Amino acid sequence: MMQLYWSPRSRSFSALWLMEETGQPYERVLTDISTGAQKTADYLAINPMGKVPALKDGEATLAEAAAICAYVAERYPEAGLSPPLGDPLRAKFLYWLFFSPGCIEPAMVQIATKLEMNSVAAGWGDAQRVFDVLDAALAKGPWILGKRFSAADVAIGSALNFSVRLFKMVPSRPSFDAYIDRCRARPAFQRAEKIAAG
């Protein structure tokens, strides 16, 4: 059985939501970052970065929320959370899955800190472009891949819920609000939210 190392009020919500979407049993291992639990030698053996989430699946261990989303979606293909190898939609799936940590998260930090960055030097370009591109993609809806919900929606939906709704770091847009509402209406999201709330 997979073990998910997670902490409330953290980026591990996306992995928690994803595990709930699979419908498969898993063990939740609370690693409360507010108490420093991520700094123990046992935890650092799983994720030397000392961050959550992390996942253990037998002898395999990995961290980083998007990587966990990709791994779990492939391990449980019956959940339909990723297009299979060879499906042309897989390219867009991978693009959007990694758009969240590669573009959305740095853009959130840029906005929240008012950090001035050279858009050529910044890997994400600039925050305005990131959210304009996301806005255009989500306006087509209902999901980031169109009619198909996927693990990419878990990554993007978690990031938008965090940055737009919970912490109001990013200004809302109609496409963001409608998308977040669709994400929050999913039973797996609601179960994850209840678990995260304790």
Side-chain angles (χ1 to χ4, degrees):
M1 182 183 298
M2 290 185 184
Q3 296 173 301
L4 175 65
Y5 295 80
W6 72 287
S7 182
R9 300 166 304 283
S10 75
R11 290 171 56 239
S12 58
F13 179 80
S14 58
L16 191 62
W17 175 15
L18 183 83
M19 294 306 294
E20 289 297 316
E21 286 284 352
T22 70
Q24 298 294 321
Y26 67 101
E27 180 185 352
R28 290 186 301 276
V29 181
L30 179 62
T31 309
D32 193 343
I33 59 177
S34 69
T35 65
Q38 77 281 16
K39 297 176 183 176
T40 66
D42 286 346
Y43 186 73
L44 291 172
I46 294 166
N47 182 6
M49 289 296 291
K51 301 188 312 176
V52 290
L55 186 77
K56 189 166 191 228
D57 182 19
E59 295 301 309
T61 59
L62 72 153
E64 299 303 327
I68 290 170
C69 285
Y71 179 85
V72 171
E74 288 180 359
R75 284 280 280 123
Y76 297 122
E78 64 276 13
L81 294 169
S82 69
L85 291 174
D87 185 325
L89 199 54
R90 189 164 176 82
K92 286 289 185 197
F93 165 74
L94 291 171
Y95 172 80
W96 289 114
L97 179 61
F98 293 101
F99 190 86
S100 183
C103 296
I104 296 173
E105 290 180 21
M108 285 175 7
V109 172
Q110 183 183 8
I111 289 171
T113 61
K114 298 178 177 44
L115 180 67
E116 292 296 324
M117 287 289 297
N118 179 325
S119 63
V120 174
W124 63 94
D126 66 79
Q128 184 66 41
R129 179 170 294 253
V130 166
F131 292 108
D132 287 349
V133 166
L134 187 57
D135 188 11
L138 292 177
K140 298 172 188 172
W143 304 112
I144 198 68
L145 299 181
K147 293 181 181 177
R148 181 178 183 159
F149 178 84
S150 73
D153 291 296
V154 171
I156 290 173
S158 293
L160 282 180
N161 186 58
F162 179 89
S163 62
V164 172
R165 289 274 171 91
L166 299 180
F167 293 96
K168 301 186 181 351
M169 299 162 69
V170 174
S172 189
R173 300 181 184 199
S175 71
F176 295 175
D177 283 334
Y179 180 71
I180 294 167
D181 287 345
R182 287 191 294 275
C183 289
R184 294 181 61 87
R186 293 185 68 81
F189 183 104
Q190 293 169 11
R191 288 192 303 273
E193 195 171 45
K194 187 174 181 181
I195 293 164

